[in-house]
Amino acid sequence: MKLYLVPTPVGNLGDMTYRAVEVLKGVDLVLAEDTRTSRVVMQHYGIDTPLQAYHIFNEHQTLQRVIDRLLSGMDIALVTDAGTPGISDPGFLLVREAVKNDIPVETLPGATAFVPALVDSGLPCDRFVFLGFLPHKKGRQTAVRNLAEESRTMIIYESPFRLVKLLEELIEVLGEEREVSVSREISKIHAETARGTLREVCDHFLAKEVKGEIVVVVAGRSDKQKESEQEEGLGEPFDNEQKNR
């Protein structure tokens, strides 16, 4: 028995590893965030292993049944729609429960969206913090405000529909001149990385329709920026009253 976490391509189907294909062919069952999406990948590589839905809306209800199957001796692989399971996708609960039950867990190296976006940004990669998706409503202002003190490079996932809003919020807290890199459609035909100041990149996406999965990479605060922001009064909490002025 073993639980495998298998990364799948974030864009180009050619980004699948040989070992990922071997594992998916060899296990007894593949748990998929969206069976329709995963079936496309599996058909491309001639994988006919049975698929079962496992996603954020059913993971609590199906978790114990999956653990029972593993304990019975089955080898099971978990995949998500794109990238590495557990990174802003289902996976954590299953891994935690497997570890509690002494079930071997193996995560294969492979595709994930934030690593190429970080390296491609031109911003420091030696120290960074991955923030995933910020809260949509409750706690969002606090989450954005807390970024003001962060000195490491920051990585944020965002939907195309909220990208401009996020950039505008970052401008309020970090200032227009903070460096940022926004990557979308990574590894796909229409892949794009926009680099510059927060104002420049915000204006770039204001002028076009935004599509695809988004990774925002923001420079951390340097000592020089800290002094400048203190002089200009930036980095202070923003609230709805300030936003409506």
Side-chain angles (χ1 to χ4, degrees):
M1 64 176 177
K2 181 178 280 192
L3 172 65
Y4 293 91
L5 276 69
V6 181
T8 51
V10 297
N12 193 310
L13 285 177
D15 292 338
M16 193 80 162
T17 67
Y18 288 113
R19 184 154 175 258
V21 174
E22 290 177 358
V23 168
L24 293 180
K25 285 183 174 180
V27 295
D28 301 298
L29 176 68
V30 175
L31 303 177
E33 185 178 11
D34 187 327
T35 55
R36 297 165 298 180
T37 301
S38 298
R39 189 168 285 112
V40 172
V41 176
M42 293 174 69
Q43 287 177 345
H44 182 80
Y45 287 99
I47 302 167
D48 57 7
T49 306
L51 277 170
Q52 177 181 312
Y54 182 87
H55 46 70
I56 191 172
F57 302 107
N58 75 351
E59 61 179 337
H60 287 279
Q61 294 87 347
T62 61
L63 179 60
Q64 190 55 52
R65 290 199 295 271
V66 174
I67 293 298
D68 290 342
R69 286 186 170 188
L70 286 162
L71 290 172
S72 73
M74 292 181 67
D75 290 331
I76 297 178
L78 173 66
V79 299
T80 56
D81 289 350
T84 300
I87 304 297
S88 291
D89 279 318
F92 163 69
L93 291 179
L94 181 55
V95 171
R96 182 177 65 179
E97 202 63 25
V99 170
K100 285 182 180 178
N101 286 273
D102 295 323
I103 296 169
V105 178
E106 185 170 353
T107 302
L108 276 62
T112 189
F114 81 79
V115 172
L118 171 63
V119 176
D120 201 44
S121 71
L123 297 172
C125 301
D126 56 333
R127 296 175 65 248
F128 61 88
V129 55
F130 174 71
L131 301 168
F133 288 95
L134 298 182
H136 294 172
K137 295 181 181 179
K138 185 178 180 181
R140 185 176 180 87
Q141 290 186 7
T142 300
V144 175
R145 185 174 64 240
N146 288 342
L147 302 182
E149 299 298 324
E150 182 56 66
S151 61
R152 296 167 292 183
T153 299
M154 296 165 273
I155 304 168
I156 303 169
Y157 282 173
E158 190 53 278
S159 80
F161 311 107
R162 289 189 296 270
L163 173 61
V164 170
K165 175 186 176 182
L166 171 65
L167 294 173
E168 290 175 340
E169 290 172 335
L170 292 175
I171 286 172
E172 286 197 59
V173 173
L174 306 180
E176 294 188 338
E177 298 304 312
R178 183 70 65 91
E179 287 185 272
V180 66
S181 174
V182 176
S183 295
R184 67 179 190 87
E185 299 283 73
I186 291 172
S187 191
K188 297 181 181 179
I189 294 175
H190 301 293
E192 175 190 17
T193 295
R195 307 177 187 85
T197 66
L198 278 168
R199 172 50 60 197
E200 290 169 342
V201 174
C202 185
D203 289 345
H204 171 78
F205 286 107
L206 271 170
K208 63 186 295 183
E209 182 181 7
V210 185
K211 296 181 179 180
E213 300 297 319
I214 306 291
V215 184
V216 180
V217 183
V218 188
R221 184 163 73 161
S222 65
D223 292 338
K224 184 177 180 180
Q225 287 171 327
K226 182 177 181 179
E227 294 174 1
S228 176
E229 289 168 4
Q230 288 175 340
E231 292 175 359
E232 297 176 11
L234 292 173
E236 296 298 322
F238 68 94
D239 54 32
N240 289 328
E241 183 179 348
Q242 290 175 315
K243 288 173 68 64
N244 291 331
R245 288 176 183 172

